[in-house]
Amino acid sequence: MAEEEGALPPKSDFSAWYNDLLWRAEIMDVRYPVKGLYVWYPHGFAIRRHVYGLLREMMDRSHQETLFPLLIPEHEFMKEAEHIKGFEDEVYWVTHGGKDQLDVPLALRPTSETAIYPMYALWVRSHADLPLRLYQIVNTFRYETKHTRPLIRLREITSFKEAHTVHSTWNDAQEQVEAAIAIYQEFYDRLCIPVIVSKRPEWDKFPGADYTIAIDTVMPDGKTLQIGTVHHLGDHFSRTFSIMYEDALGAQQYAHQTCYGISERSIAALISVHGDDRGLVLPPEFSPVQVVVIPIPIGKRKDEVLLAASRLLETLQKAGIRARLDDRDLRPGAKYYYWEMRGAALRIEIGPRDIDAGMVVSVTRTGQRSQIPVDQLVSGVTDVLGGEAARMKVRAGEMLRSRIRPAGTTDELVAAVGEGVAVVSWCGEKNCADSLEEVTGGSVLGTEARLGDIGGIPTACLICGSNGKATLVGRAY
Ligand code: P5A
């Protein structure tokens, strides 16, 4: 579908590599004639289907899926003051139906709080209705003015998974925030993407939230990418939209809420964290093609080899493995290149000598070569694929750790931000954050960072010396 010419730039030239890979691996076509809107190639969409299949399955354990309208009437959109301030410059408005001006302008949802909460006001009656946990996977529109990038900063977010929950008390909502973080951590663990959890500073929280917890990863160029956020909304929206419940004593109370979201940035991270100089690398669970069988037909045994290859294909497919046979009339080398670019997790080569030996050659996308006996094909392939995800997780974890460095002095801070993310101690004062940003040219990304095994962070604020908390400073997408 995408014509191939030239070569993929090396991953060390990350921006060029990313843009090139998107079309060479047939993920997104960026030629759609509206800025910030892109088209999923079928191969990219198949990756999305597997990733979002997992997300849906995980959400369904404790939430119910729903679907709300795309259009939001102006009077609802304009109800929550903070929320309006945060989004009004990013909203697309529908003002006409045909030639008629609409009585009420309609916003294309940039996110769905103001679509969902008026209905929650009708649905929530009593404490017995709580907790309420719904989610939807929809497109949303944001008139982004920063540089747009496929899968990273879109004007039509095509794969916005947003959850909206309602609880009796502030503490119940806080527990839900932690539960949501745990879901997102598990989700990214399955994608073999290491993440850092931190609390956004006051000035960077979601408009209308009490506080915002962000999930970030570090991209190969050392910049962070926010790949999920969880917001404690307190009772701000419930007061605005009159979401009330009758408590056990019969009194009317305002509810407490949370919301949290993930977009196709999850797929940008998946591609960027794992890919290499030869193209896409995917944990097998998410690869549209888990195994590609490549016949190595030599001379007069060609038919025999093709027959053996199609038997292998059948065996794999029967076992539920997403397998393909590439019997195109091309050199094997050209086929290896083609499937490596598209992230096939494993290739199986079969030629006359393999048939005689009752074996096939298997080579994983990360370069693990082995031989599998034909009569143990399915278990052999399953074993080899099983090891891939674990290897990718280790490699990605090491990369993340190499990009994050504790800093106790200004010199260390500047050096760490030059290569990735610095962890410093920060007291929480805006002045000190301004100084941290000024000396580095980066931003204070998050505080109360949950860093697991990355230790060695001093306790005194790097700027003023008073008590501080582990804080990330870096450059963000
Ligand atoms: C939470 C879900 C919200 O909108 N309302 C419902 C809340 N939060 S958010 O932080 O604004 O967005 C959630 C996540 O979506 C990703 N994201 C984007 N992805 C691609 N293009 C964009 N323009 C874009 N804007 C936000 C981020 O990962 C963010 O954390």
Side-chain angles (χ1 to χ4, degrees):
M1 210 173 281
E3 307 131 48
E4 291 184 23
E5 49 188 64
L8 181 67
K11 196 179 176 187
S12 52
D13 185 2
F14 175 65
S15 183
W17 175 89
Y18 181 78
N19 289 326
D20 230 59
L21 180 66
L22 288 180
W23 69 265
R24 281 181 196 276
E26 296 184 310
I27 299 162
M28 303 300 295
D29 195 327
V30 301
R31 292 172 295 183
Y32 192 76
V34 179
K35 182 179 154 67
L37 275 55
Y38 309 95
V39 182
W40 288 96
Y41 279 113
H43 190 64
F45 200 71
I47 298 170
R48 179 202 186 269
R49 207 152 48 83
H50 297 303
V51 171
Y52 276 69
L54 172 66
L55 188 54
R56 209 175 231 123
E57 180 195 306
M58 292 182 63
M59 293 301 293
D60 286 344
R61 291 179 205 158
S62 47
H63 300 65
Q64 288 177 294
E65 189 169 2
T66 181
L67 189 56
F68 276 73
L70 165 66
L71 299 173
I72 305 175
E74 184 181 35
H75 49 84
E76 298 296 353
F77 189 77
M78 291 302 190
K79 267 186 186 159
E80 215 287 333
E82 291 277 311
H83 195 68
I84 305 165
K85 248 201 292 163
F87 280 104
E88 71 185 344
D89 291 341
E90 291 188 14
V91 174
Y92 286 92
W93 289 101
V94 177
T95 56
H96 285 76
K99 293 201 179 73
D100 301 334
Q101 179 137 9
L102 299 177
D103 294 340
V104 179
L106 301 169
L108 291 186
R109 61 181 165 218
T111 168
S112 304
E113 284 73 10
T114 58
I116 294 177
Y117 300 169
M119 300 306 295
Y120 276 7
L122 303 174
W123 292 352
V124 173
R125 298 270 71 126
S126 120
H127 61 94
D129 299 328
L130 304 178
L132 177 64
R133 300 190 198 94
L134 305 185
Y135 78 97
Q136 61 177 2
I137 299 175
V138 295
N139 57 348
T140 59
F141 293 82
R142 294 185 182 183
Y143 181 69
E144 296 277 1
T145 46
K146 277 206 211 163
H147 184 61
T148 52
R149 276 174 215 274
L151 302 177
I152 292 178
R153 182 165 285 105
L154 310 151
R155 285 185 171 177
E156 181 186 2
I157 309 171
T158 68
S159 314
F160 196 65
K161 192 287 294 167
E162 51 178 326
H164 296 268
T165 71
V166 189
H167 309 268
S168 305
T169 66
W170 197 93
N171 285 341
D172 288 352
Q174 185 184 30
E175 273 175 33
Q176 187 61 38
V177 165
E178 292 304 315
I181 294 167
I183 294 173
Y184 287 180
Q185 282 175 317
E186 186 189 338
F187 172 65
Y188 282 115
D189 188 60
R190 287 276 286 271
L191 297 179
C192 305
I193 296 173
V195 299
I196 324 168
V197 176
S198 70
K199 191 172 181 174
R200 286 279 180 260
E202 266 308 290
W203 55 88
D204 211 15
K205 67 184 186 188
F206 185 67
D210 266 358
Y211 66 88
T212 289
I213 304 288
I215 316 276
D216 292 288
T217 195
V218 182
M219 296 289 261
D221 58 1
K223 286 207 253 176
T224 60
L225 182 66
Q226 173 182 300
I227 49 177
T229 34
V230 183
H231 315 289
H232 193 310
L233 300 177
D235 57 6
H236 304 196
F237 286 89
S238 69
R239 285 179 183 275
T240 311
F241 289 94
S242 293
I243 305 173
M244 301 188 81
Y245 68 94
E246 191 178 274
D247 69 16
L249 303 172
Q252 289 292 314
Q253 305 282 358
Y254 284 110
H256 292 79
Q257 294 179 269
T258 80
C259 68
Y260 31 101
I262 274 185
S263 76
E264 54 256 62
R265 280 190 184 182
S266 54
I267 292 169
L270 183 71
I271 291 167
S272 305
V273 166
H274 301 305
D276 65 16
D277 286 352
R278 286 177 292 147
L280 208 55
V281 182
L282 298 167
E285 187 183 353
F286 307 103
S287 186
V289 179
Q290 294 172 312
V291 179
V292 58
V293 179
I294 299 186
I296 318 283
I298 295 178
K300 47 185 184 325
R301 293 184 69 182
K302 187 174 171 187
D303 290 347
E304 189 191 345
V305 171
L306 287 176
L307 183 66
S310 50
R311 288 221 181 98
L312 296 177
L313 177 74
E314 205 184 307
T315 306
L316 292 167
Q317 287 181 334
K318 269 203 191 128
I321 295 167
R322 295 191 290 273
R324 291 269 199 94
L325 169 64
D326 189 348
D327 56 3
R328 293 176 298 171
D329 191 16
L330 291 171
R331 284 180 300 108
K335 295 181 185 177
Y336 300 167
Y337 173 89
Y338 178 94
W339 289 107
E340 280 172 356
M341 184 66 76
R342 285 159 183 75
L346 181 73
R347 88 170 175 254
I348 283 184
E349 305 164 10
I350 180 155
R353 253 181 295 156
D354 305 302
I355 294 179
D356 294 343
M359 306 286 264
V360 295
V361 173
S362 100
V363 185
T364 72
R365 181 58 184 80
T366 62
Q368 310 282 317
R369 180 179 279 274
S370 57
Q371 281 192 308
I372 300 174
V374 172
D375 58 6
Q376 290 162 35
L377 183 68
V378 171
S379 62
V381 163
T382 309
D383 281 354
V384 176
L385 287 180
E388 276 298 89
R391 269 189 294 278
M392 292 174 67
K393 204 174 286 184
V394 169
R395 200 170 63 173
E398 281 166 1
M399 188 188 87
L400 181 90
R401 273 188 297 277
S402 76
R403 292 285 191 188
I404 302 181
R405 228 183 295 154
T409 65
T410 308
D411 285 349
E412 285 171 7
L413 168 66
V414 171
V417 174
E419 301 197 2
V421 180
V423 189
V424 300
S425 181
W426 170 55
C427 61
E429 290 299 325
K430 180 81 169 76
N431 293 344
C432 291
D434 289 344
S435 302
L436 291 169
E437 295 188 345
E438 214 168 284
V439 293
T440 56
S443 9
V444 170
L445 302 167
T447 187
E448 297 174 39
R450 306 180 194 181
L451 291 162
D453 56 354
I454 301 169
I457 298 116
T459 51
C461 173
L462 189 138
I463 303 294
C464 72
S466 52
N467 239 341
K469 289 179 175 151
T471 298
L472 308 168
V473 184
R475 292 162 300 125
Y477 267 93

